Amino acid sequence: MDAPLVIDPGLDPGQIAPIFRRHGRVHLPGFFAGGGGEAVGRALAGPVPWMKSIKIGDDGLDASLAEYEALSPEQRAGMNAAMRQEARAGFLYRFDKWRLSDDIEAGIRHGGALAAAEAVYDFLNGETFLGFIRTLTGDPRAAFCDAMGSRYRRGDFLTAHHDELDGQNRLYAFVLNFTPLWRPDWGGLLLFFDEDGHVSEGYTPAWNALNLFRVPQAHAVSPVWEFAGADRLAITGWVRAR
């Protein structure tokens, strides 16, 4: 039987709160106690219904991996050239996505090998996690979370943006990392930028770590290098107000 998802009791949100108020973000390693994240990591490494998520120009595209792999070499080269051109000044991304919230809220639960990852959605929308967030941030508006699985493979990236979107009431963004081993020189770092465009802080996707940051805030995910030895696996989303 998989271990339950329990926040490490050594993480006191009241003690962490001053750090969050000062910086607007926090990195919390060892978030789940008792091996609770191990089953989630196995699930994300298993038969996830990934979609290839790509943004070029003004439009985002979600395609099945089969559709993406079916592109001809010429089509793939043209897409990559367009992305390189537009990424110099625009907001672009490429990574694999599982719309976890959309599936569950539509009544779709895959169960089986994916049950542990689906349980993260329930955990994020339970009072234990939301109460932890309210105490840590001092914000009583935190009412629910949406979530998606993400997988960054070689060449995947997310350029600088701030996560604010009209009508979504996003308060805080979160990333729960489930890659067992990651080297910072493999790329895939969550980077934050100051007003001068310098990298003010960067988080390696460390195993079983929660990254939480205030919205809006300029950030990006650096490209995963071709020599990376693993896929960058996470469940990410936003804490939202009603």
Side-chain angles (χ1 to χ4, degrees):
M1 184 175 180
D2 295 333
L5 296 174
V6 177
I7 299 173
D8 187 330
L11 295 173
D12 183 338
Q15 292 184 350
I16 301 166
I19 300 172
F20 188 84
R21 285 197 300 269
R22 187 179 312 120
H23 300 288
R25 56 182 176 264
V26 69
H27 168 80
L28 300 178
F31 186 68
F32 289 120
E38 294 178 2
V40 181
R42 290 194 299 271
L44 292 178
V48 173
W50 296 114
M51 302 288 285
K52 179 63 69 175
S53 191
I54 300 173
K55 184 178 185 301
I56 302 178
D58 295 330
D59 299 321
L61 168 68
D62 285 358
S64 71
L65 295 186
E67 291 172 322
Y68 182 74
E69 294 299 330
L71 293 174
S72 69
E74 293 77 16
Q75 290 172 318
R76 190 80 59 85
M79 178 180 294
N80 290 340
M83 294 184 79
R84 285 193 297 270
Q85 177 67 29
E86 295 187 30
R88 292 170 185 164
F91 170 49
L92 275 81
Y93 54 75
R94 184 182 68 198
F95 61 93
D96 296 340
K97 176 189 296 181
W98 173 24
R99 294 186 178 275
L100 182 56
S101 288
D102 287 359
D103 276 6
I104 291 177
E105 291 164 12
I108 301 170
R109 285 186 184 259
H110 302 272
L114 297 179
E118 291 169 333
V120 176
Y121 171 88
D122 301 323
F123 170 81
L124 293 170
N125 285 284
E127 185 55 33
T128 297
F129 181 74
L130 291 171
F132 182 92
I133 295 298
R134 293 187 201 109
T135 301
L136 191 155
T137 63
D139 190 340
R141 298 175 297 165
F144 69 103
C145 297
D146 53 23
M148 69 176 181
S150 70
R151 180 176 69 173
Y152 285 71
R153 311 182 93 173
R154 297 172 182 89
D156 289 343
F157 65 94
L158 176 66
T159 63
H161 62 294
H162 52 65
D163 270 357
E164 198 166 38
L165 192 64
D166 289 344
Q168 292 294 304
N169 298 327
R170 294 173 176 173
L171 303 175
Y172 309 97
F174 66 86
V175 183
L176 282 163
N177 292 291
F178 294 104
T179 303
L181 174 66
W182 194 269
R183 287 173 50 120
D185 53 355
W186 289 353
L189 306 182
L190 176 58
L191 302 176
F192 298 93
F193 307 104
D194 63 21
E195 294 179 355
D196 296 322
H198 299 299
V199 175
S200 55
E201 196 165 18
Y203 298 155
T204 298
W207 167 256
N208 191 27
L210 169 68
N211 299 325
L212 180 76
F213 56 97
R214 186 181 296 121
V215 174
Q217 190 166 171
H219 64 284
V221 176
S222 66
V224 176
W225 288 101
E226 63 181 12
F227 54 80
D231 296 335
R232 180 189 187 274
L233 302 172
I235 291 180
T236 184
W238 295 274
V239 181
R240 295 168 58 185
R242 295 291 179 190

